Amino acid sequence: MIKLTRIVESLPSSVPFVGPETQERTNNQKFLSRLGANENVFGPSPKVFQAIKNSVNDIWRYADPESYDLKVAIGKHENIKLENIVIGEGIDGLLGYLCRLLVAPKTSVVTSKGAYPTFNYHVSGFGGNLHFVPYKNDYEDIEQLIFKAKIAKAKLVYIANPDNPMGTFHSRTVIEDLVDNLPEDLILCLDEAYSEFVPKNELPKIDPSNPNVIRMRTFSKGYGMAGARIGYAIGESKLIKAFEKIRNHFGINILAQRAALIALQDQDYLNSVMRAVNISKKQIMTIASECGLKSVKSLANFVAVDCGRDASFANSVLQGLVKQRIFVRMPFFSPQSRCIRISAGKPSDLKRLEKIFPKVLNEVNASKSF
Ligand SMILES: *Cc1c(COP(=O)(O)O)cnc(C)c1O
């Protein structure tokens, strides 16, 4: 009999997210609007498409394992040194490496109840002990996260800013204060997957050589390249260097590597996407408010629409939309799970939502179970 490791044997056989493709296969029906995974429906710059096309003939090669050119471009863009950057297979991949570096069996780790679940999945995969802090008014509760980290003697605390699934954003000063007051033996993993959606001067300024902070960035959201699987982390050179001991050196594919570099250089396109996303978010909020529902103010590329009742009600609304071939998701835990999370869409997606959302809501309201 093959025996898995004790840690793996003890893990539940669940995954952080079930893909929309799985639902399509189960329901034997394709989605018409894909607004559930916070993908950027506007996609990358036309220059990125061109860069990918130009690289296709090199697909036989392994990509540069150091992603040197991309690192130089990121260094220039962020005004930081190369020794403070590691490239990885999206934030999800980098979170896995970070946990492998820091989390041993029973290591204490703190996160928010109902925050981005892929992080937890990696922590558990290395046998770490997760401690959870509830959200406070739809925000990750920074004060309590640090309090809990101290009590649990945690090594690692995870905060996403802007947050997923609520889209709320802690101001620059709040995060800078947090960084200034971190306990010496605690590392903050600051997941900034949605940083491009935040006005530049509102992002916290953090010294990249601070040994207590590692920031995560991705080309999946703002830059519209979720399928390319590429992101980066910014941190102290010693910690960044440690990734070299364990990372998958040829994990970055050559098309993604070159595409990311070009994406970074086309900031005009990025700005145009930000405008389109903001318009779309406003429309989602308008559609909700015309149905008498509030939305949570979001600085990401999605809106959490408060369905006004409990999780089971929100879930019925979600199922109604899914049945009408609109893919959306909802938070996993109360009180966030009173909401459904709708990603910014194209005008055609919004038109569909505008038509279908009120109907679904009426149906659920009229059903006997509520
Ligand atoms: C979407 C998302 C990610 C995933 O990023 P990838 O680079 O695609 O792995 C990570 N963190 C948060 C908070 C996200 O919402």
Side-chain angles (χ1 to χ4, degrees):
M1 248 276 276
I2 293 171
K3 240 178 139 33
L4 302 173
T5 67
R6 253 206 354 251
I7 291 174
V8 176
E9 285 287 359
S10 73
L11 296 174
S13 45
S14 60
V15 294
F17 294 105
V18 177
E21 294 80 7
T22 309
Q23 292 182 49
E24 289 181 333
R25 285 189 288 272
T26 309
N27 303 339
N28 199 19
Q29 173 171 277
K30 294 266 183 221
F31 286 116
L32 297 173
S33 284
R34 213 174 138 109
L35 307 178
N38 299 343
E39 293 155 326
N40 181 343
V41 296
F42 301 101
S45 152
K47 290 178 186 162
V48 167
F49 285 115
Q50 198 53 53
I52 291 173
K53 281 184 193 146
N54 294 346
S55 294
V56 157
N57 288 337
D58 289 335
I59 199 74
W60 57 276
R61 293 194 198 176
Y62 290 108
D64 171 12
E66 292 175 33
S67 294
Y68 182 81
D69 295 343
L70 177 58
K71 260 198 233 174
V72 169
I74 291 169
K76 211 166 128 197
H77 181 70
E78 302 282 353
N79 198 16
I80 55 176
K81 292 193 199 131
L82 269 53
E83 64 187 33
N84 298 115
I85 305 164
V86 58
I87 312 287
E89 303 89 334
I91 292 180
D92 287 0
L94 288 161
L95 289 175
Y97 295 138
L98 183 70
C99 289
R100 188 163 166 200
L101 288 173
L102 297 175
V103 179
K106 304 240 162 27
T107 300
S108 282
V109 178
V110 177
T111 185
S112 301
K113 182 92 189 153
Y116 189 63
T118 308
F119 175 73
N120 306 353
Y121 173 83
H122 287 305
V123 171
S124 302
F126 292 102
N129 273 348
L130 281 160
H131 301 265
F132 297 101
V133 172
Y135 277 63
K136 187 175 166 189
N137 304 325
D138 299 328
Y139 280 76
E140 295 203 39
D141 188 344
I142 290 186
E143 217 171 279
Q144 288 301 315
L145 282 163
I146 297 306
F147 184 67
K148 177 78 100 188
K150 285 179 183 164
I151 289 178
K153 299 197 170 32
K155 195 164 176 183
L156 186 59
V157 58
Y158 173 86
I159 295 172
N161 195 46
D163 170 66
N164 179 9
M166 302 311 275
T168 49
F169 178 71
H170 282 295
S171 74
R172 186 181 155 171
T173 46
V174 168
I175 299 294
E176 287 172 359
D177 260 17
L178 160 71
V179 169
D180 286 343
N181 294 298
L182 281 173
E184 219 174 280
D185 45 5
L186 181 65
I187 292 185
L188 164 68
C189 174
L190 184 61
D191 184 337
E192 297 183 315
Y194 300 98
S195 63
E196 292 81 17
F197 300 98
V198 178
K200 259 220 162 75
N201 57 357
E202 291 178 33
L203 282 176
K205 289 265 178 294
I206 301 173
D207 180 355
S209 66
N210 184 329
N212 293 94
V213 185
I214 183 157
R215 305 170 88 161
M216 300 281 175
R217 300 286 179 81
T218 182
F219 290 93
S220 296
K221 306 285 162 66
Y223 291 103
M225 291 168 44
R229 311 308 306 132
I230 190 158
Y232 57 99
I234 304 171
E236 185 214 10
S237 59
K238 244 170 81 185
L239 179 61
I240 293 298
K241 211 166 170 194
F243 280 79
E244 296 304 324
K245 295 185 180 180
I246 52 142
R247 74 180 178 93
N248 182 6
H249 294 271
F250 292 97
I252 305 300
N253 81 70
I254 198 162
L255 304 186
Q257 196 180 61
R258 294 189 185 165
L261 190 148
I262 300 300
L264 215 49
Q265 289 167 353
D266 197 349
Q267 293 292 311
D268 286 346
Y269 178 80
L270 181 73
N271 292 334
S272 73
V273 167
M274 296 305 122
R275 286 192 292 274
V277 164
N278 282 332
I279 290 171
S280 185
K281 273 160 55 183
K282 275 203 192 107
Q283 287 174 332
I284 295 170
M285 292 170 83
T286 304
I287 292 168
S289 89
E290 279 172 357
C291 295
L293 301 182
K294 287 190 193 129
S295 305
V296 180
K297 183 177 157 41
S298 161
L299 260 85
N301 70 338
F302 58 85
V303 177
V305 172
D306 186 343
C307 294
R309 294 165 77 166
D310 61 4
S312 135
F313 182 82
N315 188 47
S316 296
V317 175
L318 178 143
Q319 293 305 335
L321 292 172
V322 165
K323 218 164 149 192
Q324 296 299 318
R325 304 170 74 182
I326 298 179
F327 168 53
V328 292
R329 280 201 175 115
M330 64 181 281
F332 295 115
F333 291 97
S334 175
Q336 300 94 290
S337 55
R338 69 189 194 283
C339 300
I340 59 171
R341 196 193 65 185
I342 306 177
S343 313
K346 289 188 172 172
S348 58
D349 297 315
L350 269 294
K351 229 167 152 180
R352 186 170 294 120
L353 188 71
E354 188 177 24
K355 210 173 97 201
I356 290 173
F357 189 78
K359 280 192 198 158
V360 165
L361 198 66
N362 281 340
E363 270 171 35
V364 177
N365 270 320
S367 79
K368 282 195 293 291
S369 37
F370 291 103

